[in-house]
Amino acid sequence: MKISDLKKGQKVTIRCKHKTLLVDMEAHVAGVRAEVVLLELIRHDGQIVDFSSPHVQIITIYEDGLDMPKAWTNCRIQRRTVDGKQFHALAAPKTSVKVNRRKVSRIVLNKPGKLKISNVPDPVDIMIHDLCVNGIGFECPVKIEEQDIRHLYIQFLDEDREDEEEIKVEARGVWKKEIPGGGFFYGCRLVNAEENLGYYIAGKMRDDK
């Protein structure tokens, strides 16, 4: 699929990667001119995003819910004015590839938890969405500063667990997505966890069958 095959009104995810940091932003297709996709101006934290840095890798992901997500790598995004209106103009040098964004078994929890951020005295109430042996995703009402994103301490209680002990993990933020209406969704890689985390996840998967 060529990126110019995208249609007006479709949503895509713009993933920006710099070293170990990933940031996902939602964008809406406003139209297509030749081989260039015009996007409604993309804003992050209220500001129009500047994609001109040569150090940032840009990946565009499209999901239609029917097939595996399609991704275009090495994308370029520039500001462009068309018919008196400004857009972000998106171009990709190659056709898309199908990507499997879930390489390991993941359980959906939707359980409340506590997040301890380095150098922040009080824990933050979060909603843990999903968990696997090497990653965790959660909703957070506040933005986590970049200097703190590498050391996150998360704990939650599963009432169905026999020993009734809190599950504790240490994670490093990999990507974030702003949630319409407030808050952020963070996808993290686990850097430390209980030895029996794998057994807990396997048990939850058996219970869900």
Side-chain angles (χ1 to χ4, degrees):
M1 178 177 177
K2 297 189 298 182
I3 203 163
S4 57
D5 292 331
L6 291 170
K7 307 298 183 184
K8 182 178 179 179
Q10 291 179 331
K11 292 190 297 185
V12 295
T13 298
I14 303 298
R15 172 166 292 180
C16 297
K17 180 179 180 182
H18 177 58
K19 296 182 179 179
T20 60
L21 180 65
L22 286 177
V23 178
D24 281 3
M25 291 167 282
E26 188 177 274
H28 295 79
V29 177
V32 178
R33 293 287 181 94
E35 298 297 312
V36 175
V37 176
L38 300 178
L39 303 172
E40 300 288 349
L41 286 177
I42 302 167
R43 288 177 168 82
H44 186 65
D45 293 340
Q47 303 294 319
I48 296 175
V49 180
D50 181 1
F51 293 97
S52 61
S53 173
H55 304 294
V56 176
Q57 299 177 27
I58 301 175
I59 301 170
T60 302
I61 302 171
Y62 170 64
E63 300 181 66
D64 59 10
L66 302 175
D67 196 2
M68 292 177 63
K70 299 175 179 62
W72 293 267
T73 59
N74 300 317
C75 296
R76 303 183 307 278
I77 299 179
Q78 298 175 328
R79 291 272 289 273
R80 179 176 295 184
T81 301
V82 178
D83 297 331
K85 185 177 179 181
Q86 287 198 333
F87 299 92
H88 272 124
L90 167 67
K94 297 181 180 180
T95 57
S96 65
V97 294
K98 292 184 178 181
V99 291
N100 182 0
R101 301 173 77 176
R102 296 290 170 88
K103 297 181 184 300
V104 295
S105 298
R106 187 176 296 243
I107 56 174
V108 176
L109 289 176
N110 290 326
K111 291 184 177 293
K114 296 286 186 180
L115 168 66
K116 178 66 175 67
I117 305 172
S118 299
N119 303 320
V120 177
D122 299 321
V124 179
D125 291 325
I126 60 174
M127 179 61 68
I128 299 170
H129 180 263
D130 52 56
L131 177 70
C132 68
V133 292
N134 60 14
I136 188 170
F138 63 89
E139 294 180 21
C140 183
V142 299
K143 179 183 176 183
I144 304 172
E145 300 299 330
E146 283 194 23
Q147 65 267 24
D148 300 322
I149 200 73
R150 297 175 66 85
H151 300 286
L152 304 174
Y153 303 91
I154 301 166
Q155 60 187 54
F156 67 95
L157 180 66
D158 188 339
E159 298 83 357
D160 299 328
R161 198 180 185 195
E162 291 182 359
D163 56 17
E164 296 184 352
E165 290 186 6
E166 287 188 323
I167 296 170
K168 301 178 181 179
V169 298
E170 180 182 351
R172 180 176 67 187
V174 176
W175 60 271
K176 69 178 179 182
K177 182 177 182 179
E178 193 166 358
I179 301 173
F184 298 84
F185 189 96
Y186 286 90
C188 303
R189 180 180 299 113
L190 297 187
V191 296
N192 195 9
E194 297 177 346
E195 292 182 1
N196 60 351
L197 180 65
Y199 293 103
Y200 166 73
I201 292 174
K204 293 292 289 185
M205 293 180 68
R206 285 195 300 269
D207 293 342
D208 291 341
K209 288 183 178 180

